[in-house]
Amino acid sequence: MDYVEEYRRAELFMEAGDPHEAARILQPLLVAEPGNAAVRLQLALAYFASAQLRRAEGELRALVERDPTDHYAHHVLGRTLERLNRHAEALPHLRLASAMSPLDDYRQAVDRVAARVNVRGVPGGPPSAS
């Protein structure tokens, strides 16, 4: 198997809007090269795009465990947890990503999820205004 060619093929499927096929291509690549962060990230993104959120979460947690300074992995993990309606868990990852790299998308995600945590009164969230 030509790993580089398969990786490129998976990228083409992602660009064409077929994350399921991209994930199918990437899974054996990750089995063959479990330490390859680029393959793991692409697989996580394919899972995220195809709403396989628990699978995306698993791959993203492996990425942030391996490299806690990977702001993008923290951001996508936070977005994944947000989509799973686990806002209180998402917020620390989103805040960390925003602190490491002050991008507009990161800040907007923090604001959006912080508002949800505050509105729902989730333990550990900001105090509600009385």
Side-chain angles (χ1 to χ4, degrees), residues 34-71:
N36 189 323
V39 171
R40 189 174 301 275
L41 178 60
Q42 282 295 9
L43 181 57
L45 293 173
Y47 286 151
F48 182 84
S50 61
Q52 297 179 66
L53 300 176
R54 297 222 187 269
R55 287 181 171 184
E57 177 186 0
E59 300 304 336
L60 292 160
R61 286 194 185 278
L63 284 168
V64 299
E65 184 177 304
R66 180 176 174 223
D67 181 4
T69 66
D70 185 342
H71 62 88

Side-chain angles (χ1 to χ4, degrees), residues 63-115:
L63 284 168
V64 299
E65 184 177 304
R66 180 176 174 223
D67 181 4
T69 66
D70 185 342
H71 62 88
Y72 186 65
H74 277 285
H75 176 72
V76 180
L77 176 56
R79 292 280 293 117
T80 300
L81 294 167
E82 177 187 12
R83 285 182 65 190
L84 286 165
N85 290 315
R86 291 163 48 195
H87 300 98
E89 287 179 68
L91 194 53
H93 292 285
L94 295 170
R95 284 183 171 153
L96 189 55
S98 185
M100 287 190 275
S101 184
L103 299 171
D104 238 12
D105 288 346
Y106 290 11
R107 184 191 47 75
Q108 290 171 5
V110 169
D111 293 346
R112 182 179 58 249
V113 172

